[in-house]
C-alpha cells in the first residue's frame, strides 16, 4: 500500500476528485493547507510596507491506494491538476504499513478497496 499526498491548486479539487472516482479510487482525505515551493511564497505591499514570504493557499489530498493502483492515482492527479504553470503543486508518495477498516476489522488491501 502507498500513501499519495498531493498538494494542488484549490480550483483543481473537483476535477481531481471526479477523476479519482471515475478511476475507481473514491476514498480520499482533503485538507486546506498553506505552503511555499521554489518561489518562496509571494510578497504584498500593506500600508506602504512590503510583506514578504506570504504562503499560498493550497489543498492537500491524501489517498491510500494499493500498489497496483498507484500509477493510476498519480496519472489522474497529473491529468486534472496540471496547468503547466509554476505553483501547480507536488505529489509525495510513502509506503504504508497497514490499514484497518474500523467497521469490521478488515486489514490491508481489503480495507482500502
Ligand atoms: N519540498 C517540499 N516540501 C513540502 N512541501 C512542498 C515542497 N514542495 C512543494 N511543497 C508544497 O506544494 C505547494 C506547491 O508547490 P509548487 O507547485 O510551487 O512547487 P515548486 O517546486 O515550487 O514547483 P513550481 O516551480 O512548478 O512552482 C507549495 O505551496 C507547498 O505547500
Ligand atoms: Mg512553486
Amino acid at each position: 500500500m502507498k500513501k499519495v499526498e498531493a498538494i494542488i491548486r484549490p480550483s483543481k479539487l473537483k476535477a481531481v476528485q471526479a477523476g479519482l472516482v471515475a478511476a475507481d479510487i473514491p476514498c480520499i482525505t482533503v485538507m486546506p493547507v498553506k505552503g511555499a515551493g521554489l518561489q518562496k511564497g509571494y510578497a504584498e505591499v500593506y500600508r506602504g510596507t512590503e510583506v514578504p514570504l506570504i504562503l499560498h493557499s493550497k489543498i492537500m489530498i491524501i489517498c491510500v491506494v494499493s500498489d497496483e493502483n498507484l500509477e493510476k492515482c498519480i496519472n489522474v492527479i497529473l491529468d486534472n491538476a496540471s496547468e503547466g504553470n509554476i505553483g501547480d503543486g507536488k505529489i509525495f508518495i510513502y509506503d504504508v504499513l497497514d490499514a484497518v477498516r474500523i467497521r469490521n476489522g478488515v486489514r490491508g488491501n481489503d480495507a482500502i478497496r
Side-chain angles (χ1 to χ4, degrees), residues 36-39 86-87:
L38 284 180
Q39 293 77 19
I86 60 170

Side-chain angles (χ1 to χ4, degrees), residues 74-86:
I74 292 167
N75 285 329
V76 167
I77 295 167
L78 290 176
D79 288 348
N80 290 287
S82 173
E83 293 177 350
N85 296 319
I86 60 170

Side-chain angles (χ1 to χ4, degrees):
M1 283 180 291
K2 299 281 188 274
K3 175 179 169 181
V4 177
E5 196 179 270
I7 301 168
I8 62 168
R9 298 181 191 279
S11 60
K12 304 296 183 186
L13 174 59
K14 278 288 168 210
V16 171
Q17 186 188 3
L20 288 169
V21 168
D24 211 18
I25 304 175
C27 303
I28 59 171
T29 298
V30 173
M31 59 193 96
V33 295
K34 286 183 174 275
L38 284 180
Q39 293 77 19
K40 307 169 193 164
Y42 63 100
E44 258 178 21
V45 176
Y46 178 73
R47 295 188 177 176
T49 307
E50 189 178 271
V51 182
L53 301 179
I54 302 174
L55 297 171
H56 292 280
S57 293
K58 300 283 178 182
I59 291 285
M60 183 189 286
I61 296 177
I62 296 173
C63 305
V64 176
V65 298
S66 62
D67 290 6
E68 188 190 325
N69 277 342
L70 177 63
E71 290 306 317
K72 189 163 73 167
C73 181
I74 292 167
N75 285 329
V76 167
I77 295 167
L78 290 176
D79 288 348
N80 290 287
S82 173
E83 293 177 350
N85 296 319
I86 60 170
D88 274 353
K90 206 163 278 181
I91 304 174
F92 301 101
I93 297 142
Y94 310 83
D95 280 320
V96 171
L97 214 52
D98 205 354
V100 186
R101 177 176 292 114
I102 291 174
R103 169 165 58 88
N104 52 16
V106 165
R107 308 283 288 251
N109 274 329
D110 290 335
I112 58 169
R113 247 178 230 126

